[in-house]
Amino acid sequence: MSSALTDLLALPIVQAPMAGGVSVPRLAAAVSEAGGLGFLAAGYKTADGMYQEIKQLRSLTQHPFGVNLFMPQPEYAEAAAVDVYAHQLAGEAVWYETELGDPDSGRDDGYETKLAVLLDNPVPVVSFHFGVPAPDVLAALRRAGTVTLVTATTVDEAVAVEQAGADAVIVQGVEAGGHQGTHRDLPERDGAGIGLLSLLAQVREAVSVPLVAAGGIMRGSQIAAVLGAGASAAQLGTAFLATDESGAHAVHKEALTNPLFVRTELTRAFSGRPARGLVNRFLREHGPYAPAAYPEVHHLTSPLRKAAARAGDAQGMALWAGQGHRMARQLPAGQLVEVLAAELDAARTALSTGGRG
C-alpha cells in the first residue's frame, strides 16, 4: 500500500469537504491543528474564491489539508423536464419573494481553471467528486507533490479510480449526507446504494490502494470499525457540520438534533442529483418530481434555498445530513477531533482486551 496518504495523517480522521459554505477555512484549520485532515470545498466557488480560501487557511495552520473539486458533468439533453420542474417551483418563488435561478448557469464548475491554480500553487491533498479525473491530471498533481483521492460508490467505480492512478479511494456508503459521488448519474440506479461496511469489504478485495471510509460515521467506535474493515482513515461530514467553526446556517445545525426531523432521504429535489438530507416540506413536496438534471436543478433552486435560509425557514432549505445526524455534537471542531480520537483508542483497547478492563 502507498503511504502517501497515511504519512500525512497524525490521526485517521478526515473532515469531509462540504460545499455550499460549510467547509470554511476556520473549520479546516481547527481539524488539521487537532491532528485530523481538514478540507476546503471548492465546489460552487470561483477559482479565485478557492485560491483566497487556501491563502486564508495557510495563514491559520501549517498542517496538511485538502481541497475538493467537482468533476464537470456531461450535457443534459431533456431541457423540457427542467422547464416542467421550474413551473412546479413557481409557487415557491412567489412564497419566498424571489426569482428562480438560471438552470444554464454553467456545467463545469470552473474545473480547468481550479486545476491550473492547484498545479501552480500545490496543496497537500486534492480530492474529486462526481467522477474520475484523467490519468494525466492525477499524474500532474502527483508530480506537484499532491496526494489525490477520488470518491467511489461502487466496486467498479473504485477499480476505475485505481486504474486512473489516484493515491486513494474514498469509499462512500449510501448512509452519507449530501451528494452521492456517483461517477455517472443513472436514474435507474436510484435507491441501489450500498451500505458502507458492505461496500468497504467489497472494495478492499478489488483494489490495493488505501481506502478512506465515508458514510454515517459519528463516533470513534465507528472509526475503529471501518479501520478494522480495511480502511486507512475515516471521513466525517455531518459530525463536523454541527461544530462551532462550521459555516453551516444555525438553522441547519439545530435541525440535526431537532426531534421534528426524524429521518433522512436521498433526493433530487434541490440539485437534480441524489443527495441525502433531512426530510422537510420541500423535499416531500418536490422530491418525487425532480428530474435527473445536475447542475441545472441546483442553479434553478439556489435562490429559493438562499431565501429560505434568510428567513430562517428550515422547511425550504437543503438540510444535508447523513443517517447518523441525531448523534451530532455541537463542540469546537478541535475538541471533537480529540473526543473522536479518545473514543477510537477506547474501542481499540476494548477490542484488544476482549472487552475487559
Side-chain angles (χ1 to χ4, degrees), residues 17-20 23-24 39-45 50 53 66-69:
M18 295 168 279
S23 296
V24 291
F39 251 95
L40 294 175
Y44 311 135
K45 292 186 175 70
M50 176 193 74
E53 287 205 344
V67 175
N68 175 256
L69 299 183

Side-chain angles (χ1 to χ4, degrees), residues 13-253:
I13 298 171
V14 179
Q15 166 244 313
M18 295 168 279
V22 178
S23 296
V24 291
R26 63 180 181 273
L27 172 60
V31 173
S32 291
E33 285 288 304
L37 183 68
F39 251 95
L40 294 175
Y44 311 135
K45 292 186 175 70
T46 64
D48 183 63
M50 176 193 74
Y51 177 63
Q52 295 303 323
E53 287 205 344
I54 292 171
K55 285 176 60 178
Q56 184 180 347
L57 177 52
R58 282 182 164 141
S59 73
L60 296 173
T61 183
Q62 300 300 309
H63 293 280
F65 63 90
V67 175
N68 175 256
L69 299 183
F70 286 168
M71 293 297 297
Q73 299 299 290
E75 289 295 327
Y76 178 74
E78 298 182 34
V82 178
D83 291 340
V84 170
Y85 194 53
H87 181 73
Q88 180 181 331
L89 296 177
E92 298 282 353
V94 172
W95 176 257
Y96 288 113
E97 299 181 339
T98 188
E99 300 290 330
L100 294 175
D102 178 5
D104 299 317
S105 296
R107 306 197 55 77
D108 67 358
D109 200 49
Y111 176 73
E112 295 292 343
T113 307
K114 290 173 183 175
L115 267 181
V117 171
L118 293 170
L119 288 170
D120 286 343
N121 303 273
V123 298
V125 182
V126 171
S127 68
F128 298 86
H129 212 55
F130 299 147
V132 187
D136 63 326
V137 169
L138 295 171
L141 287 166
R142 181 176 295 108
R143 288 194 297 272
T146 297
V147 175
T148 54
L149 290 70
V150 182
T151 301
T153 62
T154 67
V155 173
D156 288 346
E157 288 179 353
V159 170
V161 171
E162 182 179 47
Q163 291 177 343
D167 293 304
V169 179
I170 300 171
V171 180
Q172 186 190 40
V174 73
E175 306 95 331
H179 284 92
Q180 291 283 295
T182 48
H183 296 181
R184 295 180 62 205
D185 183 17
L186 303 173
E188 60 268 26
R189 286 194 53 81
D190 283 5
I194 305 173
L196 176 58
L197 286 176
S198 295
L199 181 60
L200 189 59
Q202 294 173 50
V203 172
R204 183 68 287 161
E205 293 186 0
V207 304
S208 59
V209 294
L211 308 180
V212 177
I217 301 172
M218 304 292 289
R219 295 288 187 265
S221 58
Q222 293 172 290
I223 298 174
V226 297
L227 296 181
S232 296
Q235 179 172 279
L236 292 74
T238 305
F240 285 106
L241 191 151
T243 59
D244 296 353
E245 294 87 348
S246 158
H249 194 287
V251 169
H252 192 169
K253 293 183 181 184

